[in-house]
Amino acid sequence: MVQAWLTTAANPVEVLPPDPVRSDEALFDTQVTTRSPMGAVVYHTGGLLIDHGWLRVLGSGHARCSRSLPAWNKGRSTTPEGMSSGFWLVADDIAGGFFALDGGAFGPGKGEVFYFAPDSLRWEPMKGMNYSQFLVWSLSRNLTQFYQSMRWVGWEAEVSSLSGDQAFSFYPFLWTKEGKNIAHCSRKPCPVAEIFSLNVIEFPGRLQSKTG
């Protein structure tokens, strides 16, 4: 089923090949079956680089995107002891946005996909999508419409030069008034781990403390 989705994708997709040892470990740590779309992606791919690498759907890890799905979540959506924080990170983009399945942190916890938008610093619902629906959506032309305001002339070449472990750091920040026109922002590649810490953890907390 997933192979059929990839074959008919409207967007360019690079399927990173899996490493047998890493895919076994990643599948076990994710605790899903290969009969599920998530399990299929984790076990049979090192990850998916969609639309010139703009969107990265995490798999079992690869040299082009070393982050496996379970390893990326450790210490971010889970505590070092393995306790859940109520969400599960599944994908991210080069603009500093992150996709996660809701396990109770953002809503009723029914496994719907939420998007952390770098231009608002908020988790926003993806219209009730589950993981399978999100995967289909990411391969469709709806992806272009979703990111229309975040793209600039020549983005394809710049994005293609990034690894799956990098994202762009923009200045002015996209959530500021000055950063609303992304084409006028300066940008530089940074480790996606740093972008996550800055966008998801540091900035929202700082803004909340300022507003009481």
Side-chain angles (χ1 to χ4, degrees):
M1 181 174 62
V2 174
Q3 183 62 53
W5 295 344
L6 295 173
T7 301
T8 59
N11 303 313
V13 183
E14 183 177 358
V15 181
L16 301 176
D19 174 270
V21 175
R22 294 188 67 175
S23 60
D24 281 337
E25 293 176 350
L27 185 69
F28 177 80
D29 291 341
T30 307
Q31 294 292 292
V32 291
T33 171
T34 54
R35 294 182 179 180
S36 68
M38 180 184 291
V41 171
V42 169
Y43 188 73
H44 293 291
T45 82
L48 305 176
L49 303 182
I50 300 174
D51 210 359
H52 305 280
W54 182 283
L55 177 65
R56 294 78 65 93
V57 178
L58 300 179
S60 56
H62 180 270
R64 297 276 309 281
C65 184
S66 66
R67 299 171 294 138
S68 74
L69 180 64
W72 175 244
N73 275 276
K74 189 173 183 179
R76 293 182 178 86
S77 70
T78 64
T79 65
E81 295 75 27
M83 300 296 291
S84 174
S85 298
F87 64 95
W88 187 248
L89 298 163
V90 294
D92 45 69
D93 59 46
I94 61 87
F98 298 89
F99 294 90
L101 299 179
D102 178 34
F106 316 130
K110 295 182 178 180
E112 296 177 353
V113 177
F114 277 66
Y115 177 61
F116 183 87
D119 57 352
S120 69
L121 301 183
R122 295 187 179 93
W123 288 100
E124 303 171 352
M126 292 293 292
K127 298 181 179 179
M129 293 182 192
N130 58 25
Y131 181 86
S132 298
Q133 292 165 328
F134 164 73
L135 198 56
V136 172
W137 170 86
S138 71
L139 301 171
S140 74
R141 299 191 186 281
N142 291 327
L143 189 74
T144 299
Q145 182 178 0
F146 183 79
Y147 283 116
Q148 187 173 9
S149 65
M150 290 189 181
R151 291 181 168 175
W152 59 93
V153 176
W155 66 267
E156 296 93 337
E158 289 188 54
V159 169
S160 297
S161 68
L162 297 183
S163 82
D165 297 314
Q166 293 179 308
F168 280 121
S169 173
F170 294 93
Y171 189 82
F173 302 119
L174 301 184
W175 49 269
T176 64
K177 180 180 179 180
E178 295 78 10
K180 294 307 179 185
N181 189 335
I182 198 169
H184 294 166
C185 298
S186 64
R187 50 192 172 271
K188 65 177 182 179
C190 288
V192 69
E194 291 185 10
I195 300 296
F196 181 87
S197 296
L198 192 66
N199 284 0
V200 181
I201 300 173
E202 182 176 342
F203 280 149
R206 181 183 297 175
L207 291 174
Q208 289 173 11
S209 65
K210 286 183 177 180
T211 58

